[in-house]
Amino acid sequence: MTYRRVLVFWLPLAMAWLLMTVEGPWIQGVISRKPDSETQLAAFGLMFSLSILIETPVIMLLATGSALARNRQALRVLWRFMMAVNLLVAVVAILMAFTPLLDFYLGALLNVPAHIVEATRPAMRIMILWGGLIGYRRFHQGIMIRFGKTRYVGYGTVLRVLVSGSMALVLGAITQVAGAAIGALALVCAVAAEAIYTYRVSRVDVKRLLGTPLRDKLQSLSYGDALRFHLPLAITSFITLGIHPVIERGLASMPDASQSLAAWPVIFSIMLLTRSGGMAYQEVVISLNDSEENHRILRGFTLRLGISLSLIMVLFVFTPLIDFYNTTILNVPGNLHGLVLLGTQSACLIPLLTTLQSYLRALLMLSRKTAAIYQAIILGFLVTTAIVWGGIDRGMHGVLAAGLGLTIGHIIELGFLYFIYRRQDAALRLHWQAAVALAGGD
């Protein structure tokens, strides 16, 4: 194990995450050039955050598939489990898009202005299959990652971004479809194309697992085992992403609610761009941390990676690059530029904190201590909520409170993860011993 090997393994996954985060700015650039751009930017941001919240049960299917798909019996259990989760997500999306639940969620709970709620509704109806397609794709990506084929994950993401970008540009140029609906159509078509590609590429690995018999019935995987492993991860995703409705509720209470809600998707997309490499790092640690020597190498790489990503964000948001991005690339309305700058400058530590969190979460997953992960996120969620709403109540602007709240919440969560990790050395060493024994058996 060397830093170079970690870099080679991480880079395709990081590029996949980076390309996924490029989708948002690309679509936002199209929406900004359509009529009523401020309302449509806000609607697109609300649609996207709500769709991600709905799909939280499927996000960690990648980690579940990668960690548990070891033989034919486990694969069959996990496949049925994945399909059940996807069906659940699709039902929730349909209910949210075609019943008064959307008015209750956006109007009554988040206090979003009525004209933005109405602009969000058509886009939500287009997105009903999005979560299920993502779940199918991520499950098969987990299998590919298990066999070290991370580059194919990157290729699939390239396809996805090309499809979404092309769809957005074409629909924006030749149709009169509203901006938020254009974004939804582009996202659904893109994830469908990537799901088909991932299925085709993963067939070799699926057949390999189907040809691997269960050697010991005591190690068989039950649906309860799958649920117990996946549920804490799904709760983790839900709580992590649930902070965005909290932030949106705070922004909707601002005097400049429409401007704040329109600026927030741009702020969040910049945060995603710079932290995407850290978000991709969790699967690297899960896959490579199988000995004490590898553990030391990964620990050193973690610090270098996190610091580098935060420095990139500092360079971006404290130089004229941010003005070039807002004006030339996205064409963001001029009255939003100051809000975008304020929000992004307050969140420059997020990439570093995200990388460190990915590292510690992966170690706890390998120790089968996944419950500690969502306990940490609950703590971070509560701290972030208190800072965002408390800051706004005391006169702080919403986007500044959001940036500071996310940063401090991440710090508190990271501290809790580190505390739990320091108590799990024995469990991690057992994982290393099992990995060595498995390698010897193979």
Side-chain angles (χ1 to χ4, degrees):
M1 175 69 72
T2 62
Y3 285 143
R4 183 180 183 279
R5 184 187 171 194
V6 179
L7 178 65
V8 170
F9 193 96
W10 165 79
L11 195 56
L13 295 175
M15 290 304 298
W17 272 96
L18 180 63
L19 288 170
M20 281 191 288
T21 61
V22 166
E23 272 187 320
W26 194 329
I27 294 171
Q28 289 164 4
V30 173
I31 295 174
S32 295
R33 292 168 171 83
K34 298 288 287 182
D36 196 21
S37 61
E38 186 176 294
T39 297
Q40 294 300 319
L41 278 171
F44 175 75
L46 291 167
M47 175 275 293
F48 190 65
S49 66
L50 177 55
S51 296
I52 291 180
L53 192 64
I54 292 171
E55 64 137 353
T56 49
V58 310
I59 291 175
M60 287 300 184
L61 283 172
L62 187 150
T64 300
S66 177
L68 301 182
R70 299 179 180 273
N71 52 59
R72 177 173 58 236
Q73 186 270 341
L75 178 65
R76 288 173 173 170
V77 169
L78 289 171
W79 193 89
R80 296 187 187 101
F81 180 79
M82 175 267 296
M83 293 301 291
V85 174
N86 287 347
L87 178 61
L88 172 66
V89 166
V91 169
V92 174
I94 290 170
L95 291 175
M96 186 62 74
F98 290 95
T99 72
L101 278 176
L102 186 66
D103 299 281
F104 174 76
Y105 174 77
L106 293 181
L109 290 184
L110 301 192
N111 197 32
V112 173
H115 68 285
I116 298 179
V117 175
E118 289 307 312
T120 307
R121 195 184 312 277
M124 285 301 305
R125 292 177 175 175
I126 295 169
M127 292 284 282
I128 57 175
L129 295 179
W130 191 66
L133 289 168
I134 286 181
Y136 189 85
R137 181 204 78 199
R138 288 186 68 80
F139 175 73
H140 287 87
Q141 284 178 332
I143 294 174
M144 294 194 308
I145 290 172
R146 176 164 183 79
F147 289 101
K149 297 182 177 179
T150 57
R151 66 183 184 278
Y152 293 109
V153 177
Y155 297 157
T157 308
V158 170
L159 173 65
R160 173 179 169 180
V161 173
L162 289 175
V163 171
S164 64
S166 301
M167 285 287 296
L169 289 173
V170 170
L171 292 172
I174 68 174
T175 73
Q176 300 302 314
V177 177
I182 287 175
L185 286 167
L187 290 174
V188 170
C189 291
V191 78
E194 188 183 13
I196 293 170
Y197 167 82
T198 302
Y199 163 74
R200 293 182 62 85
V201 173
S202 67
R203 284 189 299 177
V204 173
D205 300 319
V206 170
K207 289 180 180 178
R208 181 175 173 182
L209 286 173
L210 289 174
T212 304
L214 177 64
R215 296 174 179 172
D216 185 351
K217 290 185 178 180
L218 294 177
Q219 297 179 352
S220 63
L221 184 73
S222 68
Y223 294 107
D225 294 332
L227 181 61
R228 280 188 291 273
F229 184 89
H230 184 77
L231 185 59
L233 302 181
I235 294 173
T236 295
S237 297
F238 181 80
I239 298 171
T240 300
L241 297 169
I243 196 61
H244 298 294
V246 170
I247 291 173
E248 289 162 352
R249 177 64 178 83
L251 296 178
S253 68
M254 297 294 298
D256 59 346
S258 295
Q259 290 82 6
S260 296
L261 288 168
W264 178 246
V266 180
I267 297 168
F268 186 62
S269 68
I270 295 172
M271 291 169 54
L272 278 179
L273 282 168
T274 52
R275 69 191 291 222
S276 57
M279 296 167 72
Y281 193 58
Q282 180 173 287
E283 280 68 42
V284 176
V285 180
I286 289 174
S287 299
L288 299 183
N289 191 24
D290 54 8
S291 70
E292 190 166 1
E293 179 184 357
N294 291 359
H295 177 73
R296 288 195 297 268
I297 295 294
L298 288 166
R299 182 174 56 199
F301 188 89
T302 301
L303 292 172
R304 289 166 172 80
L305 175 62
I307 292 171
S308 298
L309 293 176
S310 271
L311 287 176
I312 289 172
M313 185 168 182
V314 168
L315 177 65
F316 183 77
V317 302
F318 283 95
T319 69
L321 285 173
I322 186 70
D323 296 320
F324 176 79
Y325 179 79
N326 282 330
T327 55
T328 305
I329 296 179
L330 292 194
N331 195 33
V332 172
N335 61 326
L336 304 182
H337 288 192
L339 295 179
V340 172
L341 186 64
L342 181 65
T344 52
Q345 288 182 344
S346 64
C348 286
L349 287 178
I350 293 292
L352 169 62
L353 298 172
T354 298
T355 306
L356 296 174
Q357 285 176 353
S358 293
Y359 173 72
L360 291 175
R361 287 177 186 175
L363 295 182
L364 291 173
M365 286 181 196
L366 293 173
S367 303
R368 297 297 179 95
K369 302 297 180 182
T370 53
I373 297 173
Y374 74 80
Q375 292 167 1
I377 290 181
I378 290 173
L379 181 60
F381 176 91
L382 294 175
V383 170
T384 301
T385 300
I387 292 174
V388 172
W389 287 3
I392 291 174
D393 185 61
R394 286 166 173 76
M396 185 183 297
H397 196 282
V399 296
L400 176 59
L404 292 177
L406 286 172
T407 299
I408 298 173
H410 276 57
I411 292 172
I412 298 299
E413 178 187 337
L414 185 63
F416 184 87
L417 289 173
Y418 183 74
F419 173 75
I420 298 297
Y421 156 70
R422 294 299 299 173
R423 301 168 60 187
Q424 302 305 321
D425 284 348
L428 196 58
R429 291 181 186 279
L430 287 175
H431 164 74
W432 295 335
Q433 293 171 8
V436 171
L438 182 62
D442 291 341

